[in-house]
Protein backbone atom coordinates (compact mmCIF):
# COMPACT_ATOMS: atom_id res chain seq x y z
CA UNK A 1 0.00 0.00 0.00
CA UNK A 2 1.06 3.60 -0.60
CA UNK A 3 0.64 5.61 2.62
CA UNK A 4 -0.26 9.28 2.49
CA UNK A 5 2.86 10.38 4.36
CA UNK A 6 6.02 9.07 5.94
CA UNK A 7 7.67 11.28 8.55
CA UNK A 8 10.94 12.70 7.19
CA UNK A 9 13.97 10.76 8.41
CA UNK A 10 17.55 11.12 7.16
CA UNK A 11 19.43 8.66 9.39
CA UNK A 12 21.49 11.39 11.07
CA UNK A 13 18.86 11.98 13.75
CA UNK A 14 19.89 8.90 15.78
CA UNK A 15 23.37 10.07 16.73
CA UNK A 16 22.16 13.57 17.64
CA UNK A 17 19.24 12.29 19.72
CA UNK A 18 21.56 9.97 21.66
CA UNK A 19 24.06 12.75 22.17
CA UNK A 20 21.28 15.05 23.48
CA UNK A 21 20.01 12.29 25.78
CA UNK A 22 23.45 11.91 27.35
CA UNK A 23 24.10 15.62 27.78
CA UNK A 24 23.74 17.21 31.21
CA UNK A 25 20.97 19.53 29.92
CA UNK A 26 18.11 17.92 28.05
CA UNK A 27 15.50 20.57 28.87
CA UNK A 28 14.72 23.54 26.61
CA UNK A 29 17.32 25.79 24.97
CA UNK A 30 20.13 23.24 25.25
CA UNK A 31 22.97 22.86 22.74
CA UNK A 32 20.85 21.50 19.87
CA UNK A 33 18.13 24.10 20.39
CA UNK A 34 20.76 26.83 20.16
CA UNK A 35 22.19 25.27 17.01
CA UNK A 36 18.77 25.03 15.34
CA UNK A 37 17.78 28.54 16.37
CA UNK A 38 21.04 30.03 15.05
CA UNK A 39 20.50 28.12 11.79
CA UNK A 40 17.00 29.59 11.41
CA UNK A 41 18.18 33.12 12.25
CA UNK A 42 20.80 32.80 9.53
CA UNK A 43 18.69 30.97 6.92
CA UNK A 44 15.49 32.97 7.40
CA UNK A 45 17.23 36.25 8.17
CA UNK A 46 15.04 36.94 11.20
CA UNK A 47 15.82 38.85 14.39
CA UNK A 48 15.01 35.94 16.69
CA UNK A 49 14.09 32.28 16.25
CA UNK A 50 12.52 30.40 19.16
CA UNK A 51 11.69 26.70 19.00
CA UNK A 52 8.27 25.85 20.41
CA UNK A 53 6.47 22.56 21.14
CA UNK A 54 4.26 23.11 18.06
CA UNK A 55 3.13 25.68 15.52
CA UNK A 56 -0.04 25.95 17.58
CA UNK A 57 2.06 27.19 20.50
CA UNK A 58 3.99 29.58 18.25
CA UNK A 59 0.69 31.11 17.12
CA UNK A 60 -0.51 31.34 20.74
CA UNK A 61 2.69 33.19 21.61
CA UNK A 62 2.13 35.59 18.72
CA UNK A 63 -1.40 36.31 19.98
CA UNK A 64 -0.01 37.09 23.45
CA UNK A 65 2.75 39.26 22.00
CA UNK A 66 0.43 41.51 20.01
CA UNK A 67 -1.77 41.76 23.12
CA UNK A 68 -4.99 40.48 21.62
CA UNK A 69 -7.91 41.58 23.81
CA UNK A 70 -11.49 40.32 24.00
CA UNK A 71 -13.43 41.71 21.06
CA UNK A 72 -10.41 42.37 18.83
CA UNK A 73 -10.85 41.10 15.28
CA UNK A 74 -8.33 38.97 13.42
CA UNK A 75 -8.59 38.51 9.65
CA UNK A 76 -7.62 35.16 8.10
CA UNK A 77 -8.85 32.59 5.56
CA UNK A 78 -11.45 30.03 6.64
CA UNK A 79 -9.61 27.40 4.63
CA UNK A 80 -6.95 26.64 7.24
CA UNK A 81 -6.09 24.47 10.23
CA UNK A 82 -8.00 25.06 13.48
CA UNK A 83 -4.92 26.39 15.30
CA UNK A 84 -4.71 29.47 13.07
CA UNK A 85 -8.05 30.60 14.50
CA UNK A 86 -7.87 29.01 17.95
CA UNK A 87 -4.69 30.80 19.00
CA UNK A 88 -6.55 34.11 18.72
CA UNK A 89 -10.00 32.89 19.82
CA UNK A 90 -8.32 31.72 23.05
CA UNK A 91 -7.60 35.38 23.83
CA UNK A 92 -11.22 36.34 23.19
CA UNK A 93 -10.78 37.61 19.65
CA UNK A 94 -13.45 37.43 16.97
CA UNK A 95 -12.16 35.63 13.89
CA UNK A 96 -13.10 37.33 10.60
CA UNK A 97 -12.77 35.11 7.56
CA UNK A 98 -12.44 36.33 4.00
CA UNK A 99 -12.54 34.25 0.84
CA UNK A 100 -9.57 32.54 -0.80
CA UNK A 101 -8.18 32.73 -4.34
CA UNK A 102 -8.90 29.52 -6.26
CA UNK A 103 -5.47 29.44 -7.94
CA UNK A 104 -3.39 29.12 -4.75
CA UNK A 105 -6.09 28.45 -2.12
CA UNK A 106 -4.55 31.38 -0.20
CA UNK A 107 -6.38 34.36 1.30
CA UNK A 108 -7.53 36.77 -1.45
CA UNK A 109 -5.49 39.89 -0.72
CA UNK A 110 -8.03 42.02 -2.60
CA UNK A 111 -10.79 41.19 -0.09
CA UNK A 112 -8.92 42.01 3.10
CA UNK A 113 -9.32 45.77 3.23
CA UNK A 114 -13.13 45.67 3.10
CA UNK A 115 -13.17 43.37 6.15
CA UNK A 116 -11.22 45.82 8.33
CA UNK A 117 -13.13 47.57 11.15
CA UNK A 118 -11.90 49.77 14.03
CA UNK A 119 -11.57 46.53 16.05
CA UNK A 120 -9.23 44.79 13.61
CA UNK A 121 -5.87 44.02 15.17
CA UNK A 122 -4.07 41.64 12.83
CA UNK A 123 -4.04 39.78 9.54
CA UNK A 124 -2.95 36.14 9.51
CA UNK A 125 -2.02 34.97 6.00
CA UNK A 126 -1.63 31.20 5.68
CA UNK A 127 0.86 30.03 3.03
CA UNK A 128 -1.08 27.01 1.84
CA UNK A 129 1.01 24.14 0.46
CA UNK A 130 4.14 26.26 0.94
CA UNK A 131 3.03 28.69 -1.77
CA UNK A 132 3.25 32.32 -0.67
CA UNK A 133 0.32 34.65 -0.16
CA UNK A 134 0.62 38.02 -1.94
CA UNK A 135 2.65 39.53 0.87
CA UNK A 136 3.46 42.95 -0.65
CA UNK A 137 -0.17 44.12 -0.84
CA UNK A 138 -0.91 42.49 2.53
CA UNK A 139 1.96 44.34 4.22
CA UNK A 140 0.85 47.56 2.54
CA UNK A 141 -2.73 47.21 3.86
CA UNK A 142 -1.39 46.40 7.34
CA UNK A 143 0.88 49.47 7.34
CA UNK A 144 -1.93 51.79 6.25
CA UNK A 145 -4.29 50.48 8.95
CA UNK A 146 -1.65 49.89 11.62
CA UNK A 147 -2.29 46.18 11.86
CA UNK A 148 0.04 43.34 12.75
CA UNK A 149 0.78 40.57 10.29
CA UNK A 150 1.41 37.09 11.70
CA UNK A 151 2.37 34.63 8.96
CA UNK A 152 1.11 31.09 9.44
CA UNK A 153 4.07 29.52 7.66
CA UNK A 154 3.43 26.08 9.19
CA UNK A 155 3.81 24.57 5.70
CA UNK A 156 6.27 27.12 4.36
CA UNK A 157 9.80 26.24 5.49
CA UNK A 158 12.36 26.83 2.68
CA UNK A 159 9.80 28.54 0.40
CA UNK A 160 10.12 32.16 -0.72
CA UNK A 161 8.13 35.16 -1.96
CA UNK A 162 10.11 37.53 -4.23
CA UNK A 163 13.26 36.01 -2.82
CA UNK A 164 12.26 36.47 0.83
CA UNK A 165 11.73 33.39 3.04
CA UNK A 166 8.13 32.82 4.10
CA UNK A 167 7.62 33.76 7.73
CA UNK A 168 10.24 36.53 7.53
CA UNK A 169 7.98 39.16 5.95
CA UNK A 170 5.30 39.89 8.59
CA UNK A 171 5.94 40.98 12.18
CA UNK A 172 6.22 37.32 13.15
CA UNK A 173 6.05 33.91 11.50
CA UNK A 174 5.00 30.51 12.87
CA UNK A 175 6.25 27.14 11.55
CA UNK A 176 5.38 23.52 12.28
CA UNK A 177 7.66 20.50 12.66
CA UNK A 178 4.79 18.05 12.98
CA UNK A 179 5.52 14.70 11.32
CA UNK A 180 3.34 15.64 8.34
CA UNK A 181 5.44 18.71 7.52
CA UNK A 182 8.64 18.85 5.43
CA UNK A 183 10.92 18.82 8.48
CA UNK A 184 10.08 17.32 11.86
CA UNK A 185 11.51 17.48 15.35
CA UNK A 186 10.39 13.94 16.09
CA UNK A 187 6.64 14.08 15.55
CA UNK A 188 5.66 17.37 17.15
CA UNK A 189 7.38 20.73 17.16
CA UNK A 190 7.27 24.32 16.02
CA UNK A 191 9.07 27.62 15.67
CA UNK A 192 8.23 31.26 16.21
CA UNK A 193 10.35 33.76 14.34
CA UNK A 194 10.37 37.43 15.20
CA UNK A 195 11.09 40.01 12.55
CA UNK A 196 10.11 43.09 14.55
CA UNK A 197 12.60 43.65 17.35
CA UNK A 198 9.98 45.20 19.63
CA UNK A 199 8.74 41.69 20.42
CA UNK A 200 12.02 39.92 21.11
CA UNK A 201 12.43 40.45 24.86
CA UNK A 202 8.84 39.77 25.72
CA UNK A 203 8.80 36.66 23.50
CA UNK A 204 11.57 35.13 25.59
CA UNK A 205 9.70 35.99 28.78
CA UNK A 206 6.34 34.61 27.62
CA UNK A 207 8.05 31.43 26.48
CA UNK A 208 9.75 30.97 29.87
CA UNK A 209 6.58 30.97 32.00
CA UNK A 210 6.52 34.75 32.34
CA UNK A 211 10.00 34.90 33.86
CA UNK A 212 13.22 36.57 32.76
CA UNK A 213 15.10 33.27 32.92
CA UNK A 214 16.60 33.74 29.42
CA UNK A 215 18.20 37.01 30.53
CA UNK A 216 19.41 35.27 33.71
CA UNK A 217 21.14 32.55 31.67
CA UNK A 218 22.89 35.23 29.64
CA UNK A 219 24.10 36.89 32.85
CA UNK A 220 22.02 40.01 32.27
CA UNK A 221 20.17 39.82 35.61
CA UNK A 222 21.22 38.36 39.00
CA UNK A 223 18.19 36.22 39.56
CA UNK A 224 15.07 35.47 37.61
CA UNK A 225 11.52 36.08 38.70
CA UNK A 226 7.95 36.52 37.56
CA UNK A 227 7.82 39.59 35.30
CA UNK A 228 4.85 39.04 32.95
CA UNK A 229 2.20 36.53 31.93
CA UNK A 230 3.51 33.50 30.09
CA UNK A 231 3.43 29.76 29.74
CA UNK A 232 5.72 26.83 29.00
CA UNK A 233 6.55 27.16 25.33
CA UNK A 234 9.92 25.33 25.13
CA UNK A 235 10.49 21.93 23.56
CA UNK A 236 13.16 19.71 25.13
CA UNK A 237 16.61 19.47 23.55
CA UNK A 238 15.98 15.91 22.31
CA UNK A 239 13.39 17.29 19.91
CA UNK A 240 15.87 19.90 18.68
CA UNK A 241 18.48 17.15 18.20
CA UNK A 242 16.09 15.21 15.96
CA UNK A 243 15.39 18.38 13.98
CA UNK A 244 19.10 19.15 13.61
CA UNK A 245 19.55 15.85 11.77
CA UNK A 246 17.09 17.20 9.19
CA UNK A 247 18.29 20.79 8.98
CA UNK A 248 21.72 19.50 7.97
CA UNK A 249 19.99 17.75 5.07
CA UNK A 250 17.46 20.46 4.39
CA UNK A 251 18.51 20.92 0.75
CA UNK A 252 18.33 17.19 0.07
CA UNK A 253 14.87 16.98 1.58
CA UNK A 254 13.68 20.01 -0.36
CA UNK A 255 15.10 18.84 -3.70
CA UNK A 256 13.75 15.35 -3.26
CA UNK A 257 10.22 16.59 -2.53
CA UNK A 258 10.34 19.00 -5.47
CA UNK A 259 11.35 16.15 -7.76
CA UNK A 260 8.34 14.07 -6.68
CA UNK A 261 6.08 17.12 -7.03
CA UNK A 262 7.33 17.81 -10.54
CA UNK A 263 6.92 14.14 -11.48
CA UNK A 264 3.25 14.32 -10.49
CA UNK A 265 2.75 17.64 -12.22
CA UNK A 266 4.17 16.52 -15.56
CA UNK A 267 2.32 13.20 -15.53
CA UNK A 268 -1.03 14.82 -14.72
CA UNK A 269 -0.69 17.82 -17.03
CA UNK A 270 -2.59 16.12 -19.90
CA UNK A 271 -5.59 15.61 -17.56
CA UNK A 272 -5.45 19.30 -16.70
CA UNK A 273 -5.12 20.32 -20.37
CA UNK A 274 -8.22 18.34 -21.24
CA UNK A 275 -10.12 20.04 -18.41
CA UNK A 276 -10.65 16.95 -16.26
CA UNK A 277 -8.70 18.27 -13.26
CA UNK A 278 -7.16 21.50 -12.02
CA UNK A 279 -3.52 21.57 -10.94
CA UNK A 280 -2.02 24.00 -8.41
CA UNK A 281 -0.70 27.35 -9.61
CA UNK A 282 2.70 28.58 -8.47
CA UNK A 283 2.85 32.35 -9.06
CA UNK A 284 5.97 33.59 -10.87
CA UNK A 285 7.55 35.30 -7.90
CA UNK A 286 7.06 32.33 -5.54
CA UNK A 287 9.39 29.41 -5.00
CA UNK A 288 7.51 26.64 -3.23
CA UNK A 289 8.79 23.73 -1.16
CA UNK A 290 6.62 20.88 -2.47
CA UNK A 291 4.93 20.58 0.90
CA UNK A 292 1.86 19.21 -0.79
CA UNK A 293 0.71 17.89 -4.13
CA UNK A 294 -2.97 18.45 -4.65
CA UNK A 295 -5.36 18.41 -7.53
CA UNK A 296 -8.95 19.56 -7.85
CA UNK A 297 -11.70 17.53 -9.49
CA UNK A 298 -15.11 18.68 -10.71
CA UNK A 299 -17.11 18.49 -7.49
CA UNK A 300 -17.60 16.79 -4.13
CA UNK A 301 -19.25 13.78 -5.71
CA UNK A 302 -16.37 13.15 -8.08
CA UNK A 303 -13.92 13.57 -5.22
CA UNK A 304 -15.73 10.97 -3.14
CA UNK A 305 -15.59 8.54 -6.04
CA UNK A 306 -11.90 9.22 -6.70
CA UNK A 307 -11.04 8.67 -3.02
CA UNK A 308 -12.94 5.36 -3.15
CA UNK A 309 -11.04 4.42 -6.29
CA UNK A 310 -7.69 5.18 -4.63
CA UNK A 311 -8.67 2.98 -1.69
CA UNK A 312 -9.33 0.03 -3.96
CA UNK A 313 -5.83 0.43 -5.42
CA UNK A 314 -4.32 0.75 -1.92
CA UNK A 315 -3.37 4.38 -2.38
CA UNK A 316 -4.02 6.61 0.61
CA UNK A 317 -4.96 10.02 -0.76
CA UNK A 318 -6.86 12.42 1.49
CA UNK A 319 -9.01 15.53 1.34
CA UNK A 320 -8.09 18.56 3.41
CA UNK A 321 -9.58 21.32 5.56
CA UNK A 322 -13.29 21.63 6.14
CA UNK A 323 -13.63 25.44 6.16
CA UNK A 324 -13.63 26.72 9.74
CA UNK A 325 -16.71 28.90 9.33
CA UNK A 326 -18.81 25.80 8.67
CA UNK A 327 -17.30 23.80 11.55
CA UNK A 328 -19.18 23.33 14.85
CA UNK A 329 -17.25 26.10 16.63
CA UNK A 330 -17.42 28.42 13.61
CA UNK A 331 -20.54 30.45 14.48
CA UNK A 332 -19.40 30.89 18.07
CA UNK A 333 -16.00 32.41 17.39
CA UNK A 334 -16.09 33.76 13.86
CA UNK A 335 -17.93 35.41 11.02
CA UNK A 336 -17.36 35.27 7.28
CA UNK A 337 -17.00 38.68 5.69
CA UNK A 338 -18.28 38.94 2.14
CA UNK A 339 -19.19 36.14 -0.20
CA UNK A 340 -17.94 32.56 0.07
CA UNK A 341 -17.29 32.06 -3.63
CA UNK A 342 -14.34 29.68 -3.48
CA UNK A 343 -13.66 28.59 0.12
CA UNK A 344 -16.38 25.92 0.34
CA UNK A 345 -16.58 25.10 -3.34
CA UNK A 346 -12.88 24.57 -3.96
CA UNK A 347 -12.15 22.86 -0.63
CA UNK A 348 -14.74 20.22 -1.59
CA UNK A 349 -12.93 19.53 -4.87
CA UNK A 350 -9.42 19.15 -3.48
CA UNK A 351 -7.47 15.90 -3.04
CA UNK A 352 -3.91 15.61 -1.70
CA UNK A 353 -1.77 12.87 -3.21
CA UNK A 354 0.84 10.92 -1.21
CA UNK A 355 4.20 12.68 -0.99
CA UNK A 356 7.12 12.27 1.38
CA UNK A 357 10.87 12.61 1.50
CA UNK A 358 12.34 9.52 -0.15
CA UNK A 359 9.20 8.46 -2.01
CA UNK A 360 10.27 6.04 -4.72
CA UNK A 361 9.60 6.60 -8.41
CA UNK A 362 7.61 3.39 -8.62
CA UNK A 363 5.47 4.48 -5.67
CA UNK A 364 4.73 7.76 -7.41
CA UNK A 365 4.00 5.87 -10.61
CA UNK A 366 1.39 3.74 -8.85
CA UNK A 367 -0.43 6.85 -7.65
CA UNK A 368 -0.25 8.37 -11.13
CA UNK A 369 -1.47 5.16 -12.79
CA UNK A 370 -4.36 4.91 -10.39
CA UNK A 371 -5.31 8.53 -11.11
CA UNK A 372 -5.13 8.05 -14.88
CA UNK A 373 -7.14 4.84 -14.59
CA UNK A 374 -9.96 6.68 -12.81
CA UNK A 375 -10.24 9.32 -15.52
CA UNK A 376 -9.81 6.86 -18.42
C1 LIG B 1 0.20 21.95 10.62
C2 LIG B 1 -0.41 23.30 10.69
C3 LIG B 1 -0.60 23.99 11.90
C4 LIG B 1 -0.38 23.36 13.23
O1 LIG B 1 0.89 22.88 13.44
P1 LIG B 1 1.20 22.05 14.79
O2 LIG B 1 2.70 22.05 14.82
O3 LIG B 1 0.62 20.69 14.62
O4 LIG B 1 0.62 22.80 15.93
C5 LIG B 1 -1.09 25.27 11.85
N1 LIG B 1 -1.39 25.88 10.69
C6 LIG B 1 -1.24 25.25 9.51
C7 LIG B 1 -1.59 25.98 8.25
C8 LIG B 1 -0.76 23.94 9.46
O5 LIG B 1 -0.63 23.31 8.28
Amino acid sequence: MIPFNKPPYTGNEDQYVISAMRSPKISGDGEFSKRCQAWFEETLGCKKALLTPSCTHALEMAALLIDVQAGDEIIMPSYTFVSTANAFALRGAKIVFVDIRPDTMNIDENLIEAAITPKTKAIVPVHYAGVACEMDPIMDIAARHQLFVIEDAAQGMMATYKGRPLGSIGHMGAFSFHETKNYTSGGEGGLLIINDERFTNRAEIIREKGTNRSQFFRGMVDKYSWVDIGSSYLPCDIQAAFLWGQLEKSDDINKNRLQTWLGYYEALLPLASSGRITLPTIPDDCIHNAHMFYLKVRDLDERTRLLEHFKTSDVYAVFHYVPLHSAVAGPKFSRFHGKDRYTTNDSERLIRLPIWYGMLERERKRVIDSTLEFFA
Side-chain angles (χ1 to χ4, degrees), residues 4 32 99 262 327 346 356:
F4 172 67
F32 283 102
D99 208 6
L262 206 60
D346 282 49
W356 64 82

Side-chain angles (χ1 to χ4, degrees), residues 50-86:
L50 296 167
L51 291 178
T52 58
S54 67
C55 180
T56 302
H57 286 102
L59 290 164
E60 285 179 20
M61 280 183 68
L64 284 165
L65 283 164
I66 62 167
D67 251 323
V68 174
Q69 302 292 318
D72 285 350
E73 294 180 355
I74 312 289
I75 297 174
M76 64 180 68
S78 174
Y79 187 65
T80 184
F81 189 60
V82 287
S83 296
T84 321
N86 247 338

Side-chain angles (χ1 to χ4, degrees), residues 54-56 80-81 84 126 152 154-155 176 178 181 189 321:
S54 67
C55 180
T56 302
T80 184
F81 189 60
T84 321
V126 179
D152 183 337
Q155 306 173 9
S176 173
H178 186 260
K181 302 303 200 289
Y321 306 129

Side-chain angles (χ1 to χ4, degrees), residues 59 73-88 94-102 104-113 115 120 122-129 131-135 138 148-155 320-327 330 333-344 346-347:
L59 290 164
E73 294 180 355
I74 312 289
I75 297 174
M76 64 180 68
S78 174
Y79 187 65
T80 184
F81 189 60
V82 287
S83 296
T84 321
N86 247 338
F88 299 91
K94 188 81 174 175
I95 309 301
V96 178
F97 296 122
V98 300
D99 208 6
I100 53 169
R101 302 159 39 138
T104 57
M105 303 298 281
N106 282 334
I107 191 166
D108 186 337
E109 66 279 3
N110 295 312
L111 303 176
I112 293 173
E113 200 148 21
T120 308
I123 305 167
V124 186
V126 179
H127 304 298
Y128 188 69
V131 178
C133 298
E134 268 307 325
M135 290 306 291
I138 291 173
F148 294 112
V149 175
I150 314 293
E151 296 178 67
D152 183 337
Q155 306 173 9
H320 210 187
Y321 306 129
V322 173
L324 295 180
H325 72 284
S326 38
F333 300 109
S334 68
R335 66 181 156 80
F336 197 101
H337 180 90
K339 219 174 138 212
D340 171 10
R341 281 183 70 194
Y342 297 110
T343 301
T344 300
D346 282 49
S347 67

Side-chain angles (χ1 to χ4, degrees), residues 173-244:
F175 296 86
S176 173
F177 304 125
H178 186 260
E179 68 172 23
T180 51
K181 302 303 200 289
N182 292 22
Y183 307 92
T184 184
S185 47
E188 303 279 353
L191 171 75
L192 178 70
I193 67 168
I194 292 171
N195 307 312
D196 182 329
E197 250 156 346
R198 284 179 296 171
F199 297 111
T200 311
N201 269 337
R202 193 157 178 249
E204 289 184 326
I205 289 166
I206 284 174
R207 183 163 167 267
E208 277 277 23
K209 301 95 185 161
T211 73
N212 51 356
R213 183 151 72 175
S214 296
Q215 294 175 335
F216 170 73
F217 281 135
R218 284 199 296 264
M220 289 162 69
V221 290
D222 292 336
K223 56 176 192 265
Y224 74 89
S225 65
W226 186 20
V227 294
D228 202 337
I229 55 167
S231 189
S232 183
Y233 290 125
L234 286 84
C236 72
D237 213 44
I238 297 171
Q239 283 168 281
F242 196 101
L243 181 62
W244 183 249

